[in-house]
PDB file of all heavy atoms in Angstrom:
ATOM      1  N   ALA A 165      14.459   0.062   9.156  1.00 98.00           N
ATOM      2  CA  ALA A 165      14.959  -0.125  10.539  1.00 98.00           C
ATOM      3  C   ALA A 165      13.831   0.047  11.567  1.00 98.00           C
ATOM      4  O   ALA A 165      13.739  -0.725  12.552  1.00 98.00           O
ATOM      5  CB  ALA A 165      15.989   0.950  10.851  1.00 98.00           C
ATOM      6  N   ALA A 166      12.894   0.872  11.277  1.00 98.00           N
ATOM      7  CA  ALA A 166      11.727   1.057  12.191  1.00 98.00           C
ATOM      8  C   ALA A 166      10.840  -0.128  12.251  1.00 98.00           C
ATOM      9  O   ALA A 166      10.386  -0.542  13.339  1.00 98.00           O
ATOM     10  CB  ALA A 166      10.944   2.319  11.756  1.00 98.00           C
ATOM     11  N   VAL A 167      10.604  -0.808  11.090  1.00 98.00           N
ATOM     12  CA  VAL A 167       9.796  -2.017  11.061  1.00 98.00           C
ATOM     13  C   VAL A 167      10.465  -3.086  11.930  1.00 98.00           C
ATOM     14  O   VAL A 167       9.766  -3.764  12.741  1.00 98.00           O
ATOM     15  CB  VAL A 167       9.610  -2.512   9.576  1.00 98.00           C
ATOM     16  CG1 VAL A 167       8.937  -3.880   9.610  1.00 98.00           C
ATOM     17  CG2 VAL A 167       8.736  -1.557   8.846  1.00 98.00           C
ATOM     18  N   ALA A 168      11.730  -3.303  11.725  1.00 98.00           N
ATOM     19  CA  ALA A 168      12.459  -4.299  12.496  1.00 98.00           C
ATOM     20  C   ALA A 168      12.377  -4.066  14.003  1.00 98.00           C
ATOM     21  O   ALA A 168      12.133  -4.978  14.790  1.00 98.00           O
ATOM     22  CB  ALA A 168      13.930  -4.484  12.007  1.00 98.00           C
ATOM     23  N   ALA A 169      12.569  -2.780  14.412  1.00 98.00           N
ATOM     24  CA  ALA A 169      12.590  -2.457  15.815  1.00 98.00           C
ATOM     25  C   ALA A 169      11.164  -2.623  16.409  1.00 98.00           C
ATOM     26  O   ALA A 169      10.984  -3.162  17.506  1.00 98.00           O
ATOM     27  CB  ALA A 169      13.085  -1.051  16.053  1.00 98.00           C
ATOM     28  N   ALA A 170      10.156  -2.128  15.642  1.00 98.00           N
ATOM     29  CA  ALA A 170       8.801  -2.285  16.131  1.00 98.00           C
ATOM     30  C   ALA A 170       8.360  -3.756  16.267  1.00 98.00           C
ATOM     31  O   ALA A 170       7.700  -4.123  17.263  1.00 98.00           O
ATOM     32  CB  ALA A 170       7.824  -1.572  15.154  1.00 98.00           C
ATOM     33  N   ALA A 171       8.818  -4.610  15.381  1.00 98.00           N
ATOM     34  CA  ALA A 171       8.553  -6.050  15.429  1.00 98.00           C
ATOM     35  C   ALA A 171       9.134  -6.606  16.738  1.00 98.00           C
ATOM     36  O   ALA A 171       8.480  -7.401  17.434  1.00 98.00           O
ATOM     37  CB  ALA A 171       9.117  -6.709  14.265  1.00 98.00           C
ATOM     38  N   SER A 172      10.392  -6.250  17.058  1.00 97.00           N
ATOM     39  CA  SER A 172      11.036  -6.782  18.214  1.00 97.00           C
ATOM     40  C   SER A 172      10.334  -6.369  19.520  1.00 97.00           C
ATOM     41  O   SER A 172      10.411  -7.021  20.495  1.00 97.00           O
ATOM     42  CB  SER A 172      12.527  -6.391  18.245  1.00 97.00           C
ATOM     43  OG  SER A 172      12.601  -4.959  18.506  1.00 97.00           O
ATOM     44  N   ALA A 173       9.630  -5.260  19.474  1.00 97.00           N
ATOM     45  CA  ALA A 173       8.872  -4.734  20.630  1.00 97.00           C
ATOM     46  C   ALA A 173       7.448  -5.257  20.725  1.00 97.00           C
ATOM     47  O   ALA A 173       6.790  -4.876  21.676  1.00 97.00           O
ATOM     48  CB  ALA A 173       8.911  -3.188  20.648  1.00 97.00           C
ATOM     49  N   ASP A 174       7.045  -6.040  19.723  1.00 97.00           N
ATOM     50  CA  ASP A 174       5.683  -6.514  19.760  1.00 97.00           C
ATOM     51  C   ASP A 174       5.667  -8.043  19.900  1.00 97.00           C
ATOM     52  O   ASP A 174       5.876  -8.830  18.923  1.00 97.00           O
ATOM     53  CB  ASP A 174       5.001  -6.161  18.416  1.00 97.00           C
ATOM     54  CG  ASP A 174       3.546  -6.605  18.388  1.00 97.00           C
ATOM     55  OD1 ASP A 174       3.073  -7.113  19.441  1.00 97.00           O
ATOM     56  OD2 ASP A 174       2.883  -6.378  17.364  1.00 97.00           O
ATOM     57  N   PRO A 175       5.444  -8.545  21.126  1.00 95.00           N
ATOM     58  CA  PRO A 175       5.505 -10.046  21.344  1.00 95.00           C
ATOM     59  C   PRO A 175       4.320 -10.730  20.643  1.00 95.00           C
ATOM     60  O   PRO A 175       4.351 -11.915  20.535  1.00 95.00           O
ATOM     61  CB  PRO A 175       5.424 -10.183  22.835  1.00 95.00           C
ATOM     62  CG  PRO A 175       4.797  -8.907  23.316  1.00 95.00           C
ATOM     63  CD  PRO A 175       5.235  -7.812  22.454  1.00 95.00           C
ATOM     64  N   LEU A 176       3.298  -9.957  20.226  1.00 96.00           N
ATOM     65  CA  LEU A 176       2.102 -10.575  19.637  1.00 96.00           C
ATOM     66  C   LEU A 176       2.259 -10.575  18.129  1.00 96.00           C
ATOM     67  O   LEU A 176       1.185 -10.876  17.431  1.00 96.00           O
ATOM     68  CB  LEU A 176       0.856  -9.769  20.152  1.00 96.00           C
ATOM     69  CG  LEU A 176       0.603  -9.765  21.591  1.00 96.00           C
ATOM     70  CD1 LEU A 176      -0.689  -8.982  21.834  1.00 96.00           C
ATOM     71  CD2 LEU A 176       0.526 -11.160  22.219  1.00 96.00           C
ATOM     72  N   ARG A 177       3.347 -10.290  17.548  1.00 97.00           N
ATOM     73  CA  ARG A 177       3.548 -10.191  16.117  1.00 97.00           C
ATOM     74  C   ARG A 177       3.252 -11.529  15.447  1.00 97.00           C
ATOM     75  O   ARG A 177       2.996 -11.516  14.169  1.00 97.00           O
ATOM     76  CB  ARG A 177       4.855  -9.694  15.751  1.00 97.00           C
ATOM     77  CG  ARG A 177       6.049 -10.553  16.158  1.00 97.00           C
ATOM     78  CD  ARG A 177       7.364  -9.838  15.887  1.00 97.00           C
ATOM     79  NE  ARG A 177       8.549 -10.618  16.217  1.00 97.00           N
ATOM     80  CZ  ARG A 177       9.060 -10.674  17.440  1.00 97.00           C
ATOM     81  NH1 ARG A 177       8.496 -10.072  18.468  1.00 97.00           N
ATOM     82  NH2 ARG A 177      10.091 -11.498  17.589  1.00 97.00           N
ATOM     83  N   PHE A 178       3.345 -12.640  16.123  1.00 97.00           N
ATOM     84  CA  PHE A 178       3.165 -13.911  15.515  1.00 97.00           C
ATOM     85  C   PHE A 178       1.707 -14.363  15.472  1.00 97.00           C
ATOM     86  O   PHE A 178       1.439 -15.420  14.932  1.00 97.00           O
ATOM     87  CB  PHE A 178       3.981 -14.953  16.194  1.00 97.00           C
ATOM     88  CG  PHE A 178       5.493 -14.734  16.244  1.00 97.00           C
ATOM     89  CD1 PHE A 178       6.111 -14.254  17.329  1.00 97.00           C
ATOM     90  CD2 PHE A 178       6.237 -14.897  15.048  1.00 97.00           C
ATOM     91  CE1 PHE A 178       7.537 -13.943  17.290  1.00 97.00           C
ATOM     92  CE2 PHE A 178       7.594 -14.664  15.036  1.00 97.00           C
ATOM     93  CZ  PHE A 178       8.251 -14.178  16.197  1.00 97.00           C
ATOM     94  N   ASP A 179       0.790 -13.539  16.008  1.00 97.00           N
ATOM     95  CA  ASP A 179      -0.613 -13.845  15.932  1.00 97.00           C
ATOM     96  C   ASP A 179      -1.072 -13.510  14.485  1.00 97.00           C
ATOM     97  O   ASP A 179      -1.245 -12.348  14.108  1.00 97.00           O
ATOM     98  CB  ASP A 179      -1.363 -12.967  16.938  1.00 97.00           C
ATOM     99  CG  ASP A 179      -2.832 -13.290  16.905  1.00 97.00           C
ATOM    100  OD1 ASP A 179      -3.272 -14.118  16.209  1.00 97.00           O
ATOM    101  OD2 ASP A 179      -3.537 -12.579  17.723  1.00 97.00           O
ATOM    102  N   LEU A 180      -1.321 -14.576  13.710  1.00 97.00           N
ATOM    103  CA  LEU A 180      -1.765 -14.390  12.375  1.00 97.00           C
ATOM    104  C   LEU A 180      -3.243 -14.486  12.123  1.00 97.00           C
ATOM    105  O   LEU A 180      -3.750 -14.601  10.978  1.00 97.00           O
ATOM    106  CB  LEU A 180      -1.012 -15.383  11.436  1.00 97.00           C
ATOM    107  CG  LEU A 180       0.490 -15.320  11.450  1.00 97.00           C
ATOM    108  CD1 LEU A 180       1.117 -16.291  10.342  1.00 97.00           C
ATOM    109  CD2 LEU A 180       0.983 -13.924  11.225  1.00 97.00           C
TER     110      LEU A 180
END
Side-chain angles (χ1 to χ4, degrees):
V167 171
S172 67
D174 182 5
L176 302 180
R177 64 188 181 275
F178 299 105
D179 180 2
L180 301 187

